[in-house]
Amino acid sequence: MRAFCLLLVLVNALYFIWSQVIDVQVGSLDRVPLRMATPPPRIVLAKEAQSAPADQQPEEDDDEDETVAEVRDVVPPQVAPLESSGTVQPAQLPPTARQDALACSSVGPFADLGQASQAQATLRSMGFQPRQRVEQGELWTGYWVSVRDLPSRDAAEQALRTINANGISDVYLMPGSDPPNVLSLGVFSDYQRAQRRAEEVRAIGLTPQISDRKRAGSVFWVDVDLKEPGQTIDTSVFQVGQSRILRLELRGCPQSG
């Protein structure tokens, strides 16, 4: 009997807790009204904002006003150009290289060792200390008078006979020439003599040409250390006597190494 009474008391306590805590009736006036979620504002493109009519207004919500930010064109920031120091100057040689080029001069080319030795002795008498060297190059041999507009070998042989008949004997047909059928009328060291020969052939009815004649081979140069930078050497001192040397050049000495 005692256990039954305790069970009855426990049931009543549980019912009391359920009725006060779990099953609570809330009046309609005490309830908090539910608020509908407001949709986010629609993104308006700049192209749509410009093409939209002036009287068209954005939709307004009945519950609250929506404010749409003004759409503006984005202007990129201005970037200052890189500073320029002016016109780009070409690279220049170091001062030492320019001084080396002005401190030594090469005279030549000479056709053989005898001419180079004679020039070396002349420079030594002038107080210089010259040095000889040999290299492969081209040597100018004179002014060449030739006839090159002949159409065939037969025409070239006929022109050769015509030239010989007019008292010009030192003429020959060059074998294997390019262009072919070329008549050589002589090589002259003096331009006036070459021009006189060309006029003689032109009077016969042919068309001569005057050009520089060169040959490839070993040539001699004489290097001279100048007494002061920029000093020049008069090449006329080498062109004396019967063995006259023409077409000499002055250039900077080649750099060693």
Side-chain angles (χ1 to χ4, degrees):
M1 188 68 182
R2 183 178 179 182
F4 178 75
C5 292
L6 293 175
L7 182 59
L8 184 60
V9 172
L10 180 59
V11 172
N12 291 331
L14 292 175
Y15 175 77
F16 177 78
I17 294 173
W18 176 78
S19 62
Q20 295 296 323
V21 178
I22 298 176
D23 189 21
V24 178
Q25 300 294 329
V26 180
S28 59
L29 297 179
D30 298 334
R31 297 185 179 201
V32 179
L34 297 178
R35 183 180 181 87
M36 300 297 296
T38 303
R42 189 172 66 89
I43 298 176
V44 180
L45 300 178
K47 189 180 296 184
E48 296 177 356
Q50 294 177 358
S51 60
D55 55 352
Q56 182 177 355
Q57 301 293 335
E59 298 180 357
E60 296 182 354
D61 191 13
D62 295 339
D63 295 339
E64 59 179 341
D65 297 337
E66 295 180 356
T67 303
V68 179
E70 180 182 359
V71 179
R72 294 179 298 176
D73 294 336
V74 178
V75 180
Q78 299 294 331
V79 179
L82 295 177
E83 296 182 358
S84 176
S85 58
T87 305
V88 178
Q89 300 294 333
Q92 298 181 355
L93 293 176
T96 54
R98 294 196 299 269
Q99 292 176 1
D100 293 342
L102 295 175
C104 181
S105 181
S106 295
V107 185
F110 297 97
D112 51 43
L113 181 60
Q115 293 180 351
S117 299
Q118 182 180 354
Q120 188 176 9
T122 302
L123 290 170
R124 189 175 289 109
S125 66
M126 298 170 59
F128 295 101
Q129 298 297 326
R131 302 176 301 276
Q132 288 187 16
R133 59 181 174 87
V134 61
E135 65 178 26
Q136 296 298 315
E138 288 186 341
L139 183 67
W140 182 85
T141 58
Y143 298 101
W144 181 35
V145 183
S146 61
V147 177
R148 309 184 187 185
D149 58 348
L150 301 172
S152 63
R153 184 176 181 84
D154 292 338
E157 292 178 350
Q158 178 62 38
L160 177 60
R161 289 191 292 267
T162 302
I163 294 174
N164 291 333
N166 283 270
I168 304 176
S169 59
D170 52 343
V171 181
Y172 63 93
L173 179 61
M174 296 187 63
S177 60
D178 185 20
N181 307 319
V182 176
L183 289 178
S184 177
L185 306 175
V187 179
F188 303 88
S189 60
D190 183 59
Y191 184 78
Q192 299 297 330
R193 293 177 57 196
Q195 192 173 23
R196 186 162 51 249
R197 171 59 59 87
E199 291 175 354
E200 294 173 356
V201 177
R202 189 176 293 108
I204 300 174
L206 300 175
T207 306
Q209 299 181 13
I210 301 177
S211 58
D212 290 333
R213 188 70 169 175
K214 297 181 179 181
R215 66 170 177 82
S218 299
V219 294
F220 293 84
W221 289 84
V222 178
D223 297 337
V224 183
D225 293 327
L226 301 178
K227 299 178 181 179
E228 58 184 12
Q231 181 182 6
T232 58
I233 299 176
D234 185 10
T235 57
S236 63
V237 298
F238 307 110
Q239 304 187 28
V240 294
Q242 296 181 353
S243 59
R244 187 180 181 190
I245 304 170
L246 300 177
R247 290 292 181 93
L248 291 180
E249 302 176 16
L250 287 176
R251 60 176 65 173
C253 297
Q255 296 182 358
S256 59

